[in-house]
Amino acid sequence: MSRLTVLSVASEMFPLVKTGGLADVAGALPRALAPEGVDMTTLVPGYPAVMRALEHGGSVLAVADLFGGPARVLSGTADGLALLVVDAPHLFDRPGNPYLGPDGRDWPDNPFRFAALARVAAMIGLGDLPGWRPDVIHAHDWQTGLVAAYLAYADRPRPGTVITVHNLAFQGQFGPELLGPLGLPPQSWSVAGVEYYGQIGFLKAGLQFSDRITTVSPSYAAEIRTPAGGMGLDGLIRARGADVVGILNGIDDTVWDPAGDPLIPAPFDVKTLKRRGHDKAALQERFGLAVDPEALLYGVISRLSWQKGLDLLLGEIGTLAATGAQLVLLGSGETALERGFLEAAAAHPGRIACRIGYDEPLAHLVQAGSDALIVPSRFEPCGLTQLCALRYGAVPVVARVGGLADTIVDANEMARAAGAGTGIQFSPVTAEMLAGALIRTADLWRDRDAWTRIQRNAMKTDVSWRRPAARYAGLYRDLVAARGGG
Ligand SMILES: Nc1ncnc2c1ncn2[C@@H]1O[C@H](COP(=O)(O)OP(=O)(O)O[C@H]2O[C@H](CO)[C@@H](O)[C@H](O)[C@H]2O)[C@@H](O)[C@H]1O
């Protein structure tokens, strides 16, 4: 089988720039796909961090005016990843978060910044890069939604297009007056084009024009077809029928490898689970908790937002404490939640502690040292922290939604009788059901043999990219064949 070339287009990519799970996926896909016969190059904006990391970056295309200034496309590598970089200093040479200015608000020119990324992707797809044209362009989230629209209106042969929805909550909507300035033709102003409730919808455009739509779990793919989960886009998603599929995420099992993790004091595997106790003690010490091997220690690693349901956990801190458990939280986000968890920590010294911030190395210690990881999300397209938790034997306690429903097997009596069960699920996502799950988890913790069996099952779950990568490769090949190229 001949190799396929795919251009992935992403607004963030681990380890270069990361604000969330999208970066992890964009960073892991190229390596995961190589054994599947797919050569993936990733197009990213030339943020300062990307420009610093880029090696052998030579200019392969010049654009005289890319939304207000000159730009170049650089080809090179970073951390072994093949990159194309949009070097457009007037749009991307800004420090800090890729989306937000120093005042914490979206950069006002974000529509142009991400239209520029999409525009360059479309140019590459149309063959403007001498000697290289991808078979497929794979876009991610609203920031790259216009790729397929630019290609559709170009009226020239184009590659197949795929868009992956990592989070339907972020849709990228902007005023209709930007239609011309964004280089979209007048006829695109229609429901069959980029128009979405009187605005230009970047994600809407991606869903409308891409040949295939994927999202990051089968359950989320089903949820977004419904009015309850579709966030206004369910009608369009239903209309796309079988073009919409769910493919679960994996995690990079070389980065998240408890047996060889340099970021934890006592690496362990399923046969040396006892060593985990050292990691637990180190975590308790690091967070200033009582170093107590008998206390059930919960971890949370999360953005603090409505999606993640952590307000529910905050409301049930009393229940958690009453079971004798401890909690460490690593996260940042909404001020009210940050304040709430800091207050909870102050009210329960030695039992509850939090670190407000983003700390990748500390996330490894939380996974290795916690007995259980709580993920009470209201919706969760896939979720990556529970996959890491499975691998590290931190029993996931999760809401039964989206990818959390698909990746965790609830350790109810039937499952345990069958030797299955990798975590605890609760549904519906309410404070009351979360409280019930905390009590059920504490009961299980008292039965240490049962607990260890769940941990072992969890650690044996395949959370690697191998299966998902084969699915993506199959999708690309089917698409190329359907378009008459295979
Ligand atoms: N304070 C902190 N310190 C250190 N690390 C932290 C951290 N807060 C979060 N992280 C890390 O950031 C990543 C978050 O990924 P998730 O998939 O859990 O959620 P996110 O909502 O960002 O992603 C969206 O996209 C992904 C990818 O498709 C979907 O899995 C998900 O459901 C969807 O909401 C994880 O790797 C986690 O460890």
Side-chain angles (χ1 to χ4, degrees), residues 18 20-22 24-25 166-167 216 249 301-303 307-308 330-332 357-360 363 380-385:
K18 170 169 163 176
L22 161 62
D24 291 307
V25 174
H166 296 268
N167 195 335
V216 288
N249 288 332
I301 305 164
S302 187
R303 294 188 289 110
Q307 173 192 348
K308 301 295 180 180
L330 168 62
S332 62
Y358 189 91
D359 188 335
E360 196 88 26
E380 195 61 77
C382 177
L384 297 173
T385 55

Side-chain angles (χ1 to χ4, degrees), residues 94-97 100-107:
R94 302 173 195 181
N97 184 291
L100 311 174
D103 58 358
R105 291 166 187 265
D106 289 345
W107 290 108

Side-chain angles (χ1 to χ4, degrees), residues 371-426:
D371 298 305
L373 189 93
I374 309 181
V375 193
S377 306
R378 289 192 167 85
F379 69 94
E380 195 61 77
C382 177
L384 297 173
T385 55
Q386 87 281 10
L387 300 182
C388 299
L390 286 170
R391 188 137 164 77
Y392 279 64
V395 172
V397 178
V398 305
R400 190 183 293 128
V401 294
L404 300 173
D406 293 345
T407 55
I408 306 302
V409 180
D410 183 62
N412 55 36
E413 256 180 68
M414 293 253 271
R416 282 163 51 211
T422 59
I424 304 289
Q425 294 186 330
F426 64 93

